[in-house]
Amino acid sequence: MGQPDHSLAALRPLNEGELVEWEEAYVAVEAYLGALRIRNRLLVAELVRGILWRASARHAQEPGVSVRSLAMDETLKEIAEWTKQVLAEPLQQGRLAARGRLALLLTDMPGQWQSVFLTPEPWPPAFVEAMRKSYLSAGPQFAALTMTPRPLELNAIGSGAAQWWETMDRRPVVRKMFFFFLIVLIVAGLWFIFGPDIKLPR
Amino acid sequence: MDSPSPHADSGPPTGAKPYTSLFTAGVRRTIFFGLVFTINLVAGIWLFDLYDRLGLHKAHGLILGLFLLLNGLLTLGTMHAFIGVWDFIRGRRRAICITDLAKSQTGPLTQKHVVVMPVYNEDIVKVCGRVEAIYRSIEAAGQLDAFDFYILSDTTDLNCWVEEEVAWTNMCRRLDGFGKIYYRRRRKNENRKAGNIGDFVRNWGGHYEAMVVLDADSLMDGGDIVKLARTMELYPRLGILQTPPKLIRGGSVFTRMQQFAMRLYGPLFIRGLNYWQLNSGSYWGHNAIIRVRPFSEFCELPALPGREPFGGRILSHDFVEAALMVREGWEVWLAWDIVGTYEEAPPTLVDHLKRDRRWCQGNLQHMWLVFARKFPLPSRVHLFMGIMAYLGSPLWFLFLLFGTYVAWDRHKSGLSDLPVVSRFVEWLDKLATWVSQWPSLQPVSTELRHLRDLALKMAPNDQALILMGLVVVMLFLPKILALIGAVLHGPTRRSFGGAIPLILGVFMEMVLSMFMAPAIMIAHTFMILGMVMGASVSWGNQTRETDGTGWGEAVSVHGPAFIAGVAWTALALWIGPSFALWMSPILIGMLLSIPMSVLTSRVRYGQALKSKKLFSIPEEISPPEIMTLADQAQAAVDAALTAKAPGREGVIAAVVDPYVNGVHVSLLDASDPDEDHAELAEKMLKEGAAALKKDELANILYHGPSVLAMHRAVWSRPFDALHSSWGKAVESYRIRTEPDAV
């Protein structure tokens, strides 16, 4: 963690291009802290300064890596490490980092504990307790019941219709023939009803 | 008529006696269906006699058959209201009510229950508002410990998915509901809502005695939920307890009219329904409590013979689930006295018809189940009523078509309508003679002869008018009775805004619904024709709010009704003015279907009516506490955690926002990084989320390591190495997020 008494003198002197690079890194880290809803400008400035100090130290070792990338790497790493310490949990594939971020939210870090964020131990016990309780529960233990569909038992009419229906589904020719027959039947019926000789003897 | 005896191994606990005796149920059902049958028979004889006097036509056989079926349905509906009125008059104490068991019961619930809310691409903020209200209401009833809550998502829109996760997290934060309110999204939404509930039962059902099943637009009072749960606990034979939800929050004229009608007339029909169905009731898919174990054991839906639309997966599951439950000896009741149960309706006629398309297919599939073995008769009646709710439309259409043909044919042939001696008169004469054999029945015989003399003088037009009068009475009298009851009862009258708004509202509702009915009839007819042609329905989400139907959409939906109306009107006028007059309610409805659909969809007209207290309902004039709670609920909205901020909505937020990313990844199963996902992630970073196919995007959003890696990448890489959407999203955080900003 960057300490307040560390000066950024190690960065200097910077040429114009380097200044732009560090400016971009500053903006990225500041935006990320903004994304974490840390609103106090003084805190944000202090945190950014500390993170950039660490990034500058790494930049000396890794000159090929962009400053912004180093700064954001430091930011994410620092938050993850700090969360790990607060939660007293090991990191697993970065998932804890995600859950840690979530714990910060659930603890209402942006509202109540901004001043504690990324500070070294000791932390207020209430904060630590709240963080540790804030693991997200995605669901309770499974309690399985079986739901197996029972076959539909149709009576004689239903079974006959089902057999015929499935046959039509399997054989489109049969279906076409059936519909053709049905249409003929309807036309014949209509002709019988509406055709000539409309009066029935009383 | 009653359900079979419960089996010792699979039915409800042995020893628990049915809530109503077989004898009582038998008497009530005989009275109810006896009345329906008798009225229908009399009307059928009357119509046959009329045709007979006019001269029988071959088409009359068809018309008479259709009339018996359609009038039977009308009589069935009307008798529900009449019997309901009678049940009301007899009073609360003499009515059969299963939840009376829970009356004056206090103390904590002894079993664990669950409230489940299935969602499908809904406005999750409103859904969570309803969940929060129910949560708080149960908490106020002092029974929160006995309940868990599940939001069961089948959402297919990936942005909605992320919004759901965020809204749920915010709600849990506010209510301190982690470990009490759960969220689950299904990766594949097989078998729609029934599959969603089934999946829940399979995975978590074992924790709970009973589940309160809601719809995304459902709202229920906590006290009433507790009462339902208590009834479940007290009556071990109870499988399903359905409540009668009321429509609320109507904005457009159409919805307001619907909610007014349902609120005013509904209780009569509900009481009438309970009169005969008793322990063999039905389930309407939501706002009901279901015992989980028998549901899991018996209610997994079987596949129907053949393919959709008529076969395959059952689209409308609720009636079938109730029938399966009753078949196994479990009782299904309607809790008609539960008042704190609400839902919302589609806002326009077009949306109503879209929903009907789904229900139509689902209900017509039930034809198979009418022929299922072991289903008790009441269950078959429910299934049949559901089928006829849609099949009735093409039958009405045919009835009117045949009637028109006969009128046209008579007009063409030049036959007069001269009365001849009625067979009815002959029958009356014979009956009077037969009755006169018994001296004690002489007065009856005299009355019959008097009736015969009246009938002898009757012209066919009078006879037709009497029949028409009977139909009109059956259509409108339940409404008039409900109106009279409401006007005479002070508290009810005031709750609807007073006598004048009530009377005007009923009048407007009758006129509007009469003119809308033909458009619905034509639309249903086309739906069924489409199904016959093999078109199956897809699962669309329900529109719950809109500013109204556009004219173009109305023309496309109601165009067939309008064209049919023009042609039919021309034909009717050609046949004769009196026939056109007889047909006018239908023809005017068809001709006005387009403007009617558009104008009734407008919220501003609905608000104008509201300002005059027209179509007002008690829940609008004096909102119940649960509605106020839902209005106040803001649990799902928080500036500190949002997936709706401009430039970083939904999927973008899941990658960029540290908290949304945290929520999303935390809800995923643990998985290892792999190359396939890495490639997709890289593509998404470079070309944007839109470059991925939907299944690819879903795939990567389900992969925790990829979502984490993308989070790191969008914050670390130079903007020119990323798609512009990521840069914009990152940049958006440079604007300070104020605590109250949303």
Side-chain angles (χ1 to χ4, degrees):
Chain A
M1 246 162 271
Q3 297 301 310
D5 57 336
H6 284 139
S7 112
L8 293 179
L11 291 172
R12 290 176 181 159
L14 296 170
N15 61 34
E16 275 305 310
E18 287 169 329
L19 266 178
V20 171
E21 269 192 78
W22 283 103
E23 167 72 5
E24 278 178 8
Y26 188 102
V27 166
V29 176
E30 187 190 38
Y32 196 81
L33 296 176
L36 288 167
R37 278 68 167 182
I38 298 173
R39 290 182 296 277
N40 187 291
R41 288 170 207 239
L42 180 67
L43 279 176
V44 169
E46 274 301 304
L47 291 170
V48 174
R49 188 173 170 279
I51 288 164
L52 291 189
W53 182 86
R54 286 167 62 97
S56 74
R58 272 184 63 185
H59 188 53
Q61 307 297 318
E62 304 167 55
V65 184
S66 80
V67 172
R68 177 192 156 103
S69 181
L70 284 174
M72 279 312 303
D73 190 50
E74 278 303 313
T75 308
L76 295 171
K77 201 164 76 181
E78 192 161 325
I79 294 170
E81 281 297 319
W82 179 78
T83 312
K84 187 178 79 169
Q85 287 172 28
V86 175
L87 295 174
E89 288 279 341
L91 280 166
Q92 292 168 342
Q93 294 180 11
R95 275 173 67 83
L96 188 80
R99 292 183 66 178
R101 285 199 297 273
L102 185 56
L104 287 173
L105 175 78
L106 301 181
T107 314
D108 193 22
M109 181 277 287
Q112 291 186 53
W113 304 102
Q114 281 189 77
S115 59
V116 180
F117 184 58
L118 295 189
T119 58
E121 282 188 273
W123 305 289
F127 169 71
V128 175
E129 191 188 349
M131 277 289 281
R132 289 177 187 173
K133 278 172 70 177
S134 290
Y135 278 107
L136 191 63
S137 303
Q141 290 299 306
F142 287 87
L145 288 177
T146 50
M147 265 189 96
T148 314
R150 300 191 166 204
L152 184 63
E153 294 176 58
L154 297 170
N155 60 22
I157 301 170
S159 299
Q163 212 167 10
W164 175 244
W165 197 257
E166 280 169 347
T167 307
M168 287 205 303
D169 267 354
R170 279 198 310 271
R171 300 183 181 177
V173 179
V174 178
R175 189 168 63 234
K176 279 177 189 160
M177 281 172 64
F178 174 73
F179 280 117
F180 178 73
F181 176 71
L182 206 65
I183 288 165
V184 169
L185 203 69
I186 290 169
V187 170
L190 291 175
W191 184 83
F192 173 74
I193 294 164
F194 303 121
D197 186 26
I198 54 170
K199 281 287 279 178
L200 283 180
R202 261 184 74 82
Chain B
M1 247 185 177
D2 255 292
S3 52
S5 302
H7 311 298
D9 54 342
S10 56
T14 48
K17 288 183 181 172
Y19 191 70
T20 42
S21 70
L22 285 175
F23 178 75
T24 308
V27 167
R28 282 177 164 238
R29 286 166 190 167
T30 306
I31 290 172
F32 183 85
F33 289 105
L35 282 171
V36 172
F37 180 78
T38 308
I39 292 170
N40 198 31
L41 187 69
V42 168
I45 290 171
W46 194 253
L47 182 65
F48 171 75
D49 188 65
L50 174 66
Y51 286 157
D52 193 36
R53 292 177 73 189
L54 294 172
L56 278 178
H57 189 289
K58 281 181 192 171
H60 280 151
L62 269 179
I63 297 178
L64 199 61
L66 286 171
F67 176 81
L68 283 173
L69 194 57
L70 295 168
N71 189 62
L73 290 173
L74 178 64
T75 313
L76 190 68
T78 305
M79 286 315 295
H80 279 124
F82 286 159
I83 293 283
V85 170
W86 185 63
D87 206 43
F88 256 111
I89 291 168
R90 290 173 78 212
R92 173 78 170 75
R93 284 172 61 191
R94 297 187 67 186
I96 293 183
C97 182
I98 187 80
T99 56
D100 279 350
L101 287 168
K103 206 159 53 180
S104 70
Q105 290 281 332
T106 52
L109 291 164
T110 55
Q111 291 162 332
K112 193 81 177 169
H113 305 271
V114 61
V115 176
V116 294
M117 174 85 87
V119 293
Y120 179 78
N121 296 337
E122 303 284 346
D123 179 342
I124 192 63
V125 171
K126 292 197 168 176
V127 169
C128 285
R130 294 181 195 113
V131 175
E132 179 185 342
I134 294 169
Y135 183 98
R136 289 193 187 282
S137 185
I138 293 178
E139 191 175 33
Q143 301 289 346
L144 196 57
D145 287 346
F147 287 90
D148 279 345
F149 299 79
Y150 279 75
I151 295 172
L152 303 172
S153 173
D154 257 358
T155 290
T156 49
D157 183 308
L158 300 175
N159 286 325
C160 275
W161 171 23
V162 178
E163 285 168 16
E164 283 170 7
E165 292 174 333
V166 165
W168 165 75
T169 308
N170 279 329
M171 177 170 64
C172 290
R173 283 170 66 203
R174 189 160 138 136
L175 297 174
D176 193 18
F178 289 109
K180 192 111 188 106
I181 310 172
Y182 301 103
Y183 171 83
R184 179 287 267 130
R185 178 180 184 264
R186 272 203 306 171
R187 201 161 181 169
K188 283 185 184 171
N189 49 15
E190 284 173 342
N191 208 12
R192 305 177 174 99
K193 185 181 164 190
N196 197 2
I197 298 288
D199 179 81
F200 163 77
V201 170
R202 271 188 289 272
N203 288 322
W204 294 286
H207 288 297
Y208 307 103
E209 178 63 23
M211 57 179 173
V212 177
V213 179
L214 302 175
D215 244 1
D217 59 5
S218 294
L219 190 61
M220 283 186 79
D221 177 78
D224 282 332
I225 289 178
V226 170
K227 192 174 181 184
L228 296 177
R230 211 181 279 288
T231 310
M232 268 283 164
E233 289 188 359
L234 291 166
Y235 189 51
R237 290 179 66 98
L238 189 54
I240 300 176
L241 185 48
Q242 174 69 55
T243 68
K246 301 174 189 124
L247 295 180
I248 51 167
R249 299 192 197 284
S252 65
V253 177
F254 178 78
T255 338
R256 290 180 59 73
M257 182 186 84
Q258 279 206 315
Q259 69 181 23
F260 173 77
M262 204 165 154
R263 187 69 181 82
L264 185 61
Y265 320 137
L268 296 185
F269 289 92
I270 295 294
R271 289 286 283 268
L273 191 61
N274 185 64
Y275 179 85
W276 68 266
Q277 70 172 22
L278 301 167
N279 57 359
S280 302
S282 197
Y283 166 48
W284 304 337
H286 55 91
N287 292 40
I289 189 164
I290 300 176
R291 200 177 295 278
V292 175
R293 199 161 287 278
F295 184 83
S296 77
E297 209 170 328
F298 306 116
C299 294
E300 177 68 58
L301 300 176
L304 296 174
R307 292 178 299 193
E308 287 189 8
F310 289 103
R313 288 280 192 182
I314 295 177
L315 202 61
S316 194
H317 55 98
D318 36 21
F319 279 26
V320 187
E321 285 159 351
L324 290 169
M325 201 71 116
V326 173
R327 185 178 73 170
E328 299 298 330
W330 293 88
E331 295 187 17
V332 176
W333 280 87
L334 175 61
W336 56 264
D337 63 324
I338 296 291
V339 290
T341 172
Y342 311 97
E343 63 171 328
E344 291 175 28
T348 70
L349 178 58
V350 170
D351 288 306
H352 176 86
L353 291 173
K354 279 181 194 165
R355 187 186 66 178
D356 267 2
R357 174 69 186 84
R358 219 170 53 235
W359 287 5
C360 176
Q361 181 175 328
N363 281 26
L364 291 192
Q365 284 179 322
H366 293 167
M367 276 193 224
W368 290 109
L369 300 160
V370 172
F371 300 105
R373 286 185 201 278
K374 297 180 192 169
F375 275 15
L377 191 60
S379 298
R380 287 186 209 275
V381 172
H382 284 302
L383 292 166
F384 179 72
M385 280 161 59
I387 294 165
M388 291 312 292
Y390 293 95
L391 206 55
S393 286
L395 294 180
W396 269 113
F397 185 73
L398 277 179
F399 179 75
L400 294 169
L401 212 58
F402 289 156
T404 306
Y405 171 76
V406 171
W408 171 76
D409 191 55
R410 198 171 292 283
H411 174 78
K412 195 182 69 169
S413 64
L415 289 173
S416 71
D417 286 352
L418 282 177
V420 290
V421 175
S422 160
R423 284 198 197 183
F424 183 63
V425 171
E426 290 169 9
W427 293 337
L428 278 177
D429 203 37
K430 282 180 188 165
L431 188 63
T433 311
W434 183 67
V435 170
S436 66
Q437 290 175 10
W438 290 277
S440 60
L441 292 177
Q442 202 57 44
V444 177
S445 173
T446 311
E447 284 302 314
L448 285 170
R449 291 220 155 83
H450 181 62
L451 200 61
R452 177 205 61 187
D453 293 341
L454 280 175
L456 203 56
K457 290 177 198 162
M458 194 181 291
N461 270 349
D462 295 336
Q463 193 168 348
L465 278 172
I466 288 172
L467 186 64
M468 179 78 170
L470 177 72
V471 172
V472 169
V473 162
M474 286 200 288
L475 267 176
F476 294 121
L477 196 61
K479 300 184 178 189
I480 305 292
L481 286 174
L483 175 65
I484 292 170
V487 169
L488 292 180
H489 188 241
T492 310
R493 183 179 66 239
R494 285 187 289 279
S495 73
F496 278 92
I500 303 294
L502 253 174
I503 294 165
L504 283 176
V506 168
F507 176 73
M508 282 175 64
E509 191 277 330
M510 287 201 286
V511 172
L512 282 174
S513 57
M514 186 173 70
F515 287 140
M516 277 185 181
I520 295 172
M521 174 186 74
I522 299 285
H524 284 179
T525 304
F526 272 89
M527 281 174 203
I528 291 170
L529 276 177
M531 284 178 60
V532 170
M533 304 298 282
S536 185
V537 70
S538 60
W539 192 17
N541 60 311
Q542 194 169 313
T543 307
R544 306 202 191 275
E545 266 188 69
T546 177
D547 201 27
T549 305
W551 285 95
E553 191 179 16
V555 169
S556 69
V557 174
H558 303 295
F562 176 72
I563 292 166
V566 170
W568 214 327
T569 306
L571 182 64
L573 287 171
W574 181 78
I575 290 169
S578 70
F579 179 72
L581 196 66
W582 276 99
M583 289 287 287
S584 59
I586 311 288
L587 299 176
I588 292 172
M590 285 179 172
L591 292 173
L592 295 180
S593 55
I594 294 169
M596 190 85 79
S597 179
V598 171
L599 297 177
T600 56
S601 73
R602 297 283 186 255
V603 173
R604 60 178 177 276
Y605 300 142
Q607 293 310 305
L609 291 175
K610 186 179 178 181
S611 68
K612 306 287 180 202
K613 291 191 178 173
L614 284 170
F615 290 154
S616 285
I617 56 170
E619 285 71 21
E620 194 172 79
I621 290 172
S622 174
E625 197 187 350
I626 188 73
M627 277 178 72
T628 312
L629 280 173
D631 286 338
Q632 290 169 348
Q634 292 177 342
V637 182
D638 194 320
L641 180 66
T642 175
K644 285 190 168 182
R648 46 184 157 92
E649 299 93 340
V651 170
I652 301 278
V655 172
V656 178
D657 190 288
Y659 292 139
V660 179
N661 179 266
V663 171
H664 183 75
V665 173
S666 300
L667 281 168
L668 299 176
D669 293 332
S671 48
D672 296 324
D674 61 64
E675 278 186 22
D676 291 345
H677 284 98
E679 275 177 32
L680 280 176
E682 205 51 42
K683 187 177 176 185
M684 189 166 160
L685 288 169
K686 286 184 176 156
E687 298 173 36
L692 269 62
K693 291 178 193 157
K694 192 173 175 185
D695 59 334
E696 289 177 332
L697 192 55
N699 196 7
I700 202 149
L701 283 176
Y702 264 112
H703 192 245
S706 295
V707 183
L708 282 169
M710 287 193 291
H711 176 70
R712 174 176 283 269
V714 296
W715 283 99
S716 306
R717 290 189 194 174
F719 288 159
D720 53 10
L722 297 166
H723 185 261
S724 60
S725 56
W726 305 117
K728 282 180 194 159
V730 167
E731 283 287 300
S732 72
Y733 289 102
R734 292 186 65 190
I735 303 160
R736 278 161 51 81
T737 311
E738 298 303 331
D740 296 332
V742 177

